[in-house]
Amino acid sequence: MRPDLPAAASDARHDGWGTLRRFLPYLWPSDRPALRWNIVGAVLLVLAAKAVTLALPFAYKRAIDAMGAGSSPAAFQLAFALVMAFALGRFAGVLFDNLRNIVFERVGQEATRQLAEDVFARLHRLSLRFHLARRTGEVTKVIERGTKSIDVMLYFMLFNIAPTVIELTAVAVIFQLHFGWGLVAATALAVVAYIYVTRWITEWRTALREQMNRLDGQALGRAVDSLLNYETVKYFAAEKREEARYAQATRAYADAAIKSENSLGLLNVAQALITNLLMAGAMAYTVWGWSRGEYTVGDLVFVQTYLTQLFRPLDMLGMVYRTIRQGLIDMAAMFNLMDTEIEVRDAPAAPALLVNRRPALVFDNVVFGYEPDRTILNGLSFEVPAGSQVAVVGPSGAGKSTIARLVFRFYDPWSGRILIDGQDIRGVTQQSLRAALGIVPQDSVLFNDTIGYNIAYGRGDAGPADVEAAARGAALMDLIGRLPQGFDTEVGERGLKLSGGEKQRVAIARTLVKNPPILLLDEATSALDTRTEQDILATLHSVAEGRTSLSIAHRLSTIADADRIFVLDQGQLAESGTHTELLRRDGLYAEMWARQAEAIEEATEAAE
């Protein structure tokens, strides 16, 4: 059975042969000899099926000639045997084709699986910059189209184009031996004309199809946008305007769809004209030869059967060409993802990070920016002593969240060093570095799975006892006790079935399961209400005890009891000290504290 076709992707430039060369190692894996034997077996079955197909017209011709020789018992037996052989040959052809599909199926699926896994692994090695710049849906669509195109392309290239080329060659030899070069030349000319016309009209139809898809998307977009803004449409009595906009888009789509369907009719007519001109000429030539006594009646059937068999796969040429062309584009897009430069790499032969239970964290004259023309951190230097609880505060855009991203090595500094226990984090493996770090982010995104799964995600080998202990440490047991399914409760997409405070507690529990020596709290309570914030802060303070912790905060009240507070301004360290020392200094920190206190007071008065 012919596989389903993938959805069309946007057009793109590609090197067809280069793309195929890159894919060949997946199709012919050096470490999987069994798969290579599957390919050999599939090729042998293709040749067997084609041999049977090429032999069928000989049986048909001989049967017709036997019947034309008279109705003697010997002629009957010969014709009957040939007819039975013809039917058996047709069955054998179908049998070989399906056995070929069965033998080759594992090869195609394994190639698709291995390539998809390689792309997925590559995406996880790419930098945060790449993932922030690309839409997730766009990336997954590239992978989906690329992997789907593999199976379809293999089917058409190996089981349509290759057998057709074999059949063309064999038919040319047979025609030359039986009818001379004239019929060979006529067949070759017709096939070339057929291929040229099909390619030319298909290219034209592809452009029409792309226009039709674009207009279809435009009509759908206008409809969805209008319905989502239903109230706004009513506010301004704009129903007629919306109907006119939608009608304009649907009319444009209808016109494009008519052109596309008409072009298909033109393609079918052009193909039928070429096919039947050749058929008429070849059969007329055979009849003329029969009239001269050169050919038999069976030769007429012989020629007609070969030409019918030959043009049956060519009838699919337009679809095959379009599918392979689109498949190469989709595969090239997927290989482009794999070719994306990895921004943050481990140093050659980098050792693992070795840390004590309470390691120190140091920023040494760090300079960094996300874009070359905009520096975020300007020579930032500070130290988080081993086992201490330190906070970083500052105005928006001062570079607070950038610190966490640099510590996790999502980016590397332009200059300067970041040290953990005296080791430059650029000189150790990223795996060991991140194993020593834990984070509770501002927006705790959870997997669309159970509470238990999300908590256990903190460590790959975490067991039920570890999960329960972490949930207890994050003050989650009251919530879990109220849920009918307990730890097996589904949290929904991105954890949306849980409240903000509940998600934060799950994130805290996940970090407790990991049990890292260094803890980063990146504005972990800024999105919570005051009551929930106080509950979460109590839990965070308990978790941070006995660890080196760095809190990045917007609300100064949440870090007032920190051992030390660093105040950032324009990517530099402006002030440092305890909460009391900074207030006495009457600098930037004191100004920020006064503004937040004033805002809280105004909010309280407004509530009263």
Side-chain angles (χ1 to χ4, degrees), residues 199-209 259 263 266:
R199 182 179 183 276
W200 177 68
I201 297 179
T202 300
E203 290 281 1
W204 176 44
R205 291 196 70 240
T206 299
L208 291 175
R209 189 73 187 179
K259 290 180 181 178
S263 67
L266 177 62

Side-chain angles (χ1 to χ4, degrees), residues 334-371:
M334 190 164 60
F335 282 127
N336 285 339
L337 277 181
M338 296 185 68
D339 291 338
T340 303
E341 184 64 27
I342 298 176
E343 184 177 344
V344 179
R345 294 179 179 272
D346 286 341
L353 177 69
L354 301 176
V355 294
N356 299 312
R357 184 58 200 159
R358 297 184 177 186
L361 172 65
V362 175
F363 269 60
D364 181 16
N365 197 29
V366 172
V367 178
F368 173 74
Y370 297 106
E371 302 297 336

Side-chain angles (χ1 to χ4, degrees), residues 430-443:
Q430 297 175 63
Q431 183 73 23
S432 64
L433 167 67
R434 291 166 188 157
L437 301 170
I439 187 168
V440 180
Q442 175 181 356
D443 181 18

Side-chain angles (χ1 to χ4, degrees), residues 538-554:
T539 305
L540 288 175
H541 289 156
S542 173
V543 170
E545 289 181 4
R547 308 173 196 271
T548 301
S549 71
L550 178 64
S551 300
I552 298 166
H554 174 70

Side-chain angles (χ1 to χ4, degrees), residues 337-498:
L337 277 181
M338 296 185 68
D339 291 338
T340 303
E341 184 64 27
I342 298 176
E343 184 177 344
V344 179
R345 294 179 179 272
D346 286 341
L353 177 69
L354 301 176
V355 294
N356 299 312
R357 184 58 200 159
R358 297 184 177 186
L361 172 65
V362 175
F363 269 60
D364 181 16
N365 197 29
V366 172
V367 178
F368 173 74
Y370 297 106
E371 302 297 336
D373 56 350
R374 185 188 173 199
T375 304
I376 303 297
L377 301 182
N378 295 282
L380 179 62
S381 296
F382 65 83
E383 179 179 357
V384 182
S388 63
Q389 299 183 26
V390 171
V392 175
V393 301
S396 297
K400 302 187 297 297
S401 294
T402 301
I403 290 174
R405 291 175 172 177
L406 290 176
V407 171
F408 271 89
R409 271 202 84 192
F410 292 153
Y411 303 92
D412 279 333
W414 294 349
S415 63
R417 299 181 303 164
I418 301 174
L419 308 174
I420 293 180
D421 258 7
Q423 302 162 75
D424 191 332
I425 63 174
R426 282 179 297 191
V428 300
T429 61
Q430 297 175 63
Q431 183 73 23
S432 64
L433 167 67
R434 291 166 188 157
L437 301 170
I439 187 168
V440 180
Q442 175 181 356
D443 181 18
S444 299
V445 178
L446 305 182
F447 289 96
N448 190 3
D449 210 299
T450 64
I451 291 178
Y453 173 84
N454 278 281
I455 295 175
Y457 197 80
R459 196 176 75 244
D461 59 350
D466 300 314
V467 171
E468 184 174 345
R472 199 173 303 280
L476 262 176
M477 292 308 295
D478 287 345
L479 168 67
I480 293 172
R482 294 194 303 270
L483 297 173
Q485 294 179 293
F487 284 102
D488 294 328
T489 302
E490 297 282 340
V491 303
E493 189 78 23
R494 299 173 65 86
L496 293 179
K497 291 184 179 180
L498 302 181

Side-chain angles (χ1 to χ4, degrees), residues 44-60 84-97 166-167 170 174 305-306 309:
L44 292 176
L45 287 168
V46 167
L47 295 176
K50 194 51 60 181
V52 170
T53 302
L54 290 169
L56 289 178
F58 283 95
Y60 205 7
M84 291 298 101
F86 181 82
L88 180 61
R90 286 176 59 86
F91 171 75
V94 174
L95 176 65
F96 289 146
D97 283 344
I166 294 173
E167 187 166 3
I174 293 169
T305 305
Y306 266 122
Q309 288 182 175

